[in-house]
């Protein structure tokens, strides 16, 4: 159910018999807003506006309407992601050999990603769901860049601000290339001594990049500051609150989200909803409250790339949603109600006015994992690419 105005404790008790989760839309709630929904004030608010961030006016993403649109966006996004992967691998090799980081290539790559994110970030965000434990370092850098740009777009940032933010996000972990491989790739949780070595990576990255005068200061701030925490408990400098550069605070939110959403040797990946719950618990203590709450709104209840099962049994992947209908995303259905693959994916907008008058409007029943439904996200992407390649021209 959606859109029910709760007015009494009795209604809450009644809903508890039907609902496993309750999502509250504070923007549509009457009366006083909870304290947690904060807006930056004073000098910090002015700094955010100066750097293109406005929490008050989130920017929606255009929804894909046809399967062909999805295919074209995925094809373009996959090409960009592959290019980014090659850049990260080449950069790793250059650093190991003692060569300088090619920031010009990074700038061009981020520029192309900014262009697609401004047009529609959905396909790029979907691709962040593809995870390979053996390539965590490179995939994490790319995912953080994609998610930071998507978040920046949501916050209304202009292109030049997105370019700087994306550059810092793509290079945020570059210092890890100076960490010994036996620590970086350790197939276990690090010892305290090893963790101290790992904690040097923000400063190592800053040292690698600071001589490049073409890099904006804000991008360098992300590299050295993305592990600082609002309560002063972060590293390397133990900065606190607004002393932490704004873009570093933003990337810190995205960095944590992608890290806990990934398979690691010491923890299994969390579902997006679980990852967002972790961020919410960290707000105000470790992470910037306003940024966390805005990021949760940006990612949504059913993030792009999530697998969901309709109450009627069909399974699909979320390919888009808008801020007015966060519980009614646009899906690409992949399995029928019996769990069999559809001959052709089917687009379904759960927020379509076509369902407004019907009592049998489709609705999401639950979130599923790829293993539960036997769907390999990588194969789904490849199938879309193959279908795109087989489309007749003209």
């Amino acid at each position: 159910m959606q859109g029910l105005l709760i007015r009494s404790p009795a209604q809450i008790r009644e809903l508890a018999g039907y609902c496993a989760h309750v999502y509250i839309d504070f923007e549509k709630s009457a009366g006083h807003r909870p304290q947690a929904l904060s807006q930056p004030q004073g000098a910090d608010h002015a700094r955010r506006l100066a750097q293109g961030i406005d929490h008050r006016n989130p920017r929606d993403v255009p929804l894909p309407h046809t399967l062909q649109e999805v295919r074209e966006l995925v094809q373009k996004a996959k090409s960009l992601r592959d290019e980014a992967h090659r850049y990260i691998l080449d950069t790793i090799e250059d650093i190991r050999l003692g060569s300088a980081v090619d920031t010009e290539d990074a700038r061009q790559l981020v520029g192309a990603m900014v262009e697609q994110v401004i047009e529609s970030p959905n396909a790029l965000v979907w691709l962040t769901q593809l995870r390979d434990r053996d390539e965590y370092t490179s995939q994490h850098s790319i995912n953080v860049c994609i998610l930071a740009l998507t978040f920046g777009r949501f916050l209304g940032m202009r292109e030049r601000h997105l370019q700087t933010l994306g550059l810092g996000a793509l290079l945020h972990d570059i210092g890890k290339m100076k960490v010994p491989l036996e620590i970086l790739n350790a197939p276990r949780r690090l010892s305290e001594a090893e963790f101290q070595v790992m904690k040097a990576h923000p400063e190592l990255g800053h040292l690698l990049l600071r001589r490049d005068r073409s890099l904006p200061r804000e991008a360098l701030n992300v590299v050295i500051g993305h592990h600082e925490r609002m309560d002063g408990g972060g590293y390397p400098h133990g900065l606190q609150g607004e002393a932490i550069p704004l873009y570093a605070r933003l990337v810190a939110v995205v960095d944590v989200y992608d890290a806990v959403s990934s398979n690691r040797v010491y923890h299994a990946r969390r579902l997006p909803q679980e990852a967002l719950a972790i961020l919410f618990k960290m707000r105000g203590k470790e992470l910037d409250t306003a940024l966390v709450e805005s990021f949760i709104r940006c990612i949504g209840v059913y993030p792009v790339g999530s697998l969901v099962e309709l109450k009627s049994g069909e399974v699909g992947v979320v390919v888009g949603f808008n801020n007015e209908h966060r519980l009614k995303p646009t899906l690409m259905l992949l399995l029928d109600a019996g769990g069999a693959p559809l001959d052709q994916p089917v687009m379904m907008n759960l927020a379509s006015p076509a369902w407004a008058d019907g009592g049998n409007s489709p609705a999401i029943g639950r979130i599923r994992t790829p293993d539960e439904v036997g769907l390999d996200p990588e194969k789904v992407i490849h199938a879309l690419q193959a279908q795109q390649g087989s489309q007749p021209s003209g």
Side-chain angles (χ1 to χ4, degrees):
M1 61 184 69
Q2 181 182 13
L4 178 64
L5 185 61
I6 299 173
R7 298 182 183 275
S8 69
Q11 287 179 303
I12 295 175
R13 288 192 294 271
E14 184 176 354
L15 282 172
Y18 299 94
C19 304
H21 304 282
V22 176
Y23 302 99
I24 301 172
D25 191 336
F26 292 112
E27 293 183 349
K28 294 183 180 179
S29 299
H32 179 67
R33 286 187 182 182
Q35 189 78 20
L37 277 180
S38 63
Q39 293 291 342
Q41 302 295 327
D44 190 42
H45 180 54
R47 276 194 293 273
R48 292 175 196 239
L49 291 176
Q51 295 187 58
I53 294 177
D54 188 350
H55 298 263
R56 300 167 301 180
N57 298 299
R59 185 176 177 187
D60 248 330
V61 174
L63 293 173
H65 297 291
T66 67
L67 192 57
Q68 183 63 17
E69 277 185 74
V70 174
R71 287 172 178 150
E72 290 173 356
L73 287 170
V74 165
Q75 179 71 28
K76 188 175 179 181
K78 186 68 165 58
S79 296
L80 267 177
R81 189 172 184 271
D82 290 346
E83 185 181 345
H85 185 60
R86 286 191 296 271
Y87 170 78
I88 295 294
L89 294 182
D90 288 346
T91 300
I92 290 172
E93 184 65 18
D94 288 344
I95 292 173
R96 298 289 183 206
L97 294 175
S99 302
V101 178
D102 189 339
T103 57
E104 180 54 37
D105 278 359
R107 223 182 311 271
Q108 293 179 16
L109 175 61
V110 170
M113 294 172 79
V114 167
E115 285 182 14
Q116 176 148 2
V117 163
I118 289 174
E119 178 187 354
S120 175
N122 285 336
L124 279 169
V125 173
W126 182 6
L127 295 183
T128 65
Q129 299 288 323
L130 305 182
R131 310 279 179 169
D132 185 336
R133 182 178 291 175
D134 294 332
E135 295 187 354
Y136 171 76
T137 300
S138 61
Q139 288 184 351
H140 177 66
S141 296
I142 297 165
N143 289 350
V144 168
C145 183
I146 290 171
L147 292 169
L149 289 175
T150 301
F151 187 22
R153 181 196 187 281
F154 176 82
L155 293 172
M157 293 175 67
R158 296 178 181 175
E159 185 172 349
R160 62 186 178 89
H161 294 120
L162 288 173
Q163 179 76 32
T164 298
L165 175 65
L167 197 56
L170 184 67
L171 299 173
H172 80 285
D173 268 348
I174 202 73
K176 285 185 176 179
M177 303 308 105
K178 287 291 189 178
V179 172
L181 287 176
E182 59 270 21
I183 294 178
L184 185 64
N185 299 327
R188 52 176 170 72
R189 187 178 291 275
L190 298 179
S191 69
E192 181 57 33
E194 290 170 330
F195 184 54
Q196 292 302 317
V197 174
M198 181 67 83
K199 284 170 66 175
H201 78 267
E203 290 179 294
L204 293 172
H206 191 261
L207 285 171
L208 281 169
L209 298 170
R210 68 179 183 179
R211 293 181 181 175
D212 188 334
R213 297 185 181 278
S214 67
L215 277 179
R217 181 187 62 189
E218 292 87 351
L220 288 172
N221 286 342
V222 169
V223 174
I224 199 168
H226 65 280
H227 281 291
E228 300 288 357
R229 294 295 180 256
M230 298 298 287
D231 60 5
Y235 59 88
H237 297 134
L239 300 180
Q240 190 171 2
E242 294 176 20
I244 305 169
L246 180 55
Y247 286 4
R249 279 182 267 163
L250 189 155
V251 171
V253 173
V254 176
D255 183 43
V256 172
Y257 175 79
D258 187 71
V260 300
S261 300
S262 301
N263 275 316
R264 307 298 302 278
V265 293
Y266 46 84
H267 71 67
R269 65 178 297 183
R270 269 87 163 185
L271 290 172
Q273 292 74 15
E274 296 171 325
L276 293 176
I278 290 171
L279 291 183
F280 193 72
K281 290 178 181 177
M282 295 174 70
R283 80 198 193 287
K285 301 172 184 176
E286 299 174 74
L287 300 175
D288 184 298
T289 297
L291 288 172
V292 166
E293 290 170 355
S294 291
F295 184 70
I296 290 172
R297 293 167 63 205
C298 171
I299 293 297
V301 176
Y302 301 111
V304 171
S306 298
L307 286 173
V308 296
E309 181 181 306
L310 297 180
K311 290 182 178 179
S312 52
E314 296 91 340
V315 173
V317 61
V318 176
V319 294
F321 68 92
N322 64 42
N323 289 312
E324 288 188 18
H325 303 287
R326 296 174 198 164
L327 301 183
K328 296 183 176 183
T330 295
L331 309 179
M332 185 176 72
L333 296 180
L334 302 170
L335 304 179
D336 65 21
L342 297 173
D343 292 335
Q344 181 89 334
V346 175
M347 297 292 292
M348 178 180 284
N349 181 358
L350 300 184
S352 171
W355 312 115
D357 299 328
N360 296 318
S361 59
I364 292 174
R366 56 178 171 164
I367 297 170
R368 304 300 300 270
T369 67
D371 290 340
E372 287 173 344
V373 296
L375 281 173
D376 182 340
E378 191 99 37
K379 289 181 179 179
V380 173
I381 297 293
H382 286 321
L384 276 175
Q385 287 184 283
Q387 292 164 358
Q388 165 70 10
S390 64
Q391 293 295 306
S393 59

